[in-house]
Amino acid sequence: PYIQTMNFVLMNFPWTHGYSENFLDQKRANQLGSDFPKWDSQIWDTHGKVFKSEYGHKKELTDKSAMPQSIVNFIEDLENKTFIDRVSAATGIENLFIDHGMYGGGLNIYPPGSHLTTHIDFNYNNDLQAYRSVNLLYYMNDDWSPNSGGCFELFDTDLNKCKTVKPELNTCIFFATNDGTYHGVSATQNDFYRKSISIWYYTKEPTENLSKEPHKTLWVK
C-alpha cells in the first residue's frame, strides 16, 4: 500500500533526476527518522563500518538484520518490482534489479565537519557481475537548518555546481549514474549529523554514457 505514496517529479537540470520533498506519508517518515540509529549507537560498531579518507567521513550499515524493522520495511518497498518499474520508466533504463547486499549503500550517517568530495560513482559490482545504473537517496533529518550544511550537490560536466538538495526528512532523489552525473555532499556544520538511506539499482549491460570498462569511484581533485 505504501508504494503508491512514493511519488516524485522528474527534473532535467543539470541532468535528469527524480525528486520529491514528500516521498512518504509524513507519519511514516517521522517514524523512520526516529528509528534511525544515532552516531554513537553500538549498531555501527558491531554491524557497520567506517569510511574515512580525504574524500569524506561517514558510518555505513548494510546488514538488514541489524536495522530497525521500520527501515527494513521501507527498503523492501524500494526493492519492490512495482516501484522499480516506476524508476525504470522515469530513467528510461530497462531491466533494473536491486543489490540486496547494498554494497556501498544502506544506512549512512555523516558527523559534523564531514563532506563527500565531488565524484563519479564506481560503475561495476564484481559480486553481481553487473553495472551500477541508478542511485536513490532518501534523507532522514528532521533537525536540518540552512546552517547545517550536508547538502547533496549536482554538477554539470564542466564541474559547475548547478543545484543543491537539502537533506531534510522525507526528501528523495534518484538519478542514472554515469560519466556525466557528477555529485558530492557539502560539509556538515555545527552539531548536525546527516542521515540517509542509499539504494543502488543495477543492469547487466552498461547504460547510456556509462563506461563499459569497470572503474572505482572517480574523485575530482
Side-chain angles (χ1 to χ4, degrees):
Y2 287 119
I3 293 170
Q4 297 307 317
T5 69
M6 295 158 61
N7 292 318
F8 52 85
V9 296
L10 277 182
M11 299 185 173
N12 294 314
F13 181 78
W15 22 265
T16 301
H17 56 282
Y19 179 72
S20 175
E21 294 180 357
N22 297 283
F23 191 58
L24 300 176
D25 172 84
Q26 194 60 48
K27 181 178 180 181
R28 189 184 189 200
N30 291 341
Q31 185 67 57
L32 292 172
S34 176
D35 290 347
F36 197 98
K38 302 293 189 292
W39 174 261
D40 56 1
S41 169
Q42 287 298 310
I43 288 176
W44 305 105
D45 297 326
T46 56
H47 296 277
K49 59 183 178 181
V50 177
F51 172 85
K52 189 174 185 180
S53 72
E54 63 182 299
Y55 303 116
H57 181 198
K58 66 178 181 177
K59 291 181 179 180
E60 178 184 286
L61 178 66
T62 58
D63 183 354
K64 284 185 183 176
S65 70
M67 296 179 188
Q69 190 59 48
S70 64
I71 291 178
V72 173
N73 292 343
F74 174 51
I75 290 173
E76 289 177 349
D77 282 346
L78 296 173
E79 296 174 345
N80 183 282
K81 184 179 184 303
T82 299
F83 182 71
I84 293 177
D85 286 347
R86 293 175 62 205
V87 172
S88 180
T91 59
I93 299 174
E94 298 180 350
N95 301 315
L96 288 170
F97 62 93
I98 199 75
D99 169 21
H100 291 286
M102 293 188 287
Y103 173 76
L107 276 58
N108 289 267
I109 186 167
Y110 292 65
S114 62
H115 73 289
L116 193 62
T117 298
T118 305
H119 63 282
I120 292 290
D121 293 310
F122 72 85
N123 71 334
Y124 194 76
N125 185 312
N126 286 318
D127 291 338
L128 297 177
Q129 294 288 292
Y131 290 88
R132 178 174 165 187
S133 297
V134 175
N135 289 357
L136 184 144
L137 306 167
Y138 179 79
Y139 298 107
M140 315 279 284
N141 308 286
D142 61 1
D143 58 342
W144 186 88
S145 75
N147 296 322
S148 298
C151 290
F152 183 77
E153 299 180 326
L154 290 70
F155 297 81
D156 63 20
T157 52
D158 293 323
L159 299 180
N160 298 305
K161 184 169 66 177
C162 298
K163 181 176 181 178
T164 61
V165 173
K166 298 177 288 188
E168 292 182 293
L169 177 67
N170 213 14
T171 296
C172 182
I173 182 172
F174 67 85
F175 57 96
T177 179
N178 56 47
D179 296 346
T181 51
Y182 288 91
H183 56 279
V185 176
S186 66
T188 49
Q189 307 291 334
N190 304 316
D191 58 353
F192 176 62
Y193 287 84
R194 181 185 189 270
K195 301 173 290 184
S196 64
I197 294 177
S198 305
I199 300 292
W200 313 148
Y201 301 96
Y202 285 81
T203 54
K204 282 297 184 181
E205 299 296 329
T207 56
E208 185 178 2
N209 297 325
L210 185 66
S211 297
K212 185 176 179 64
E213 187 69 26
H215 64 72
K216 296 181 179 179
T217 301
L218 303 176
W219 303 100
V220 175
K221 294 293 186 179

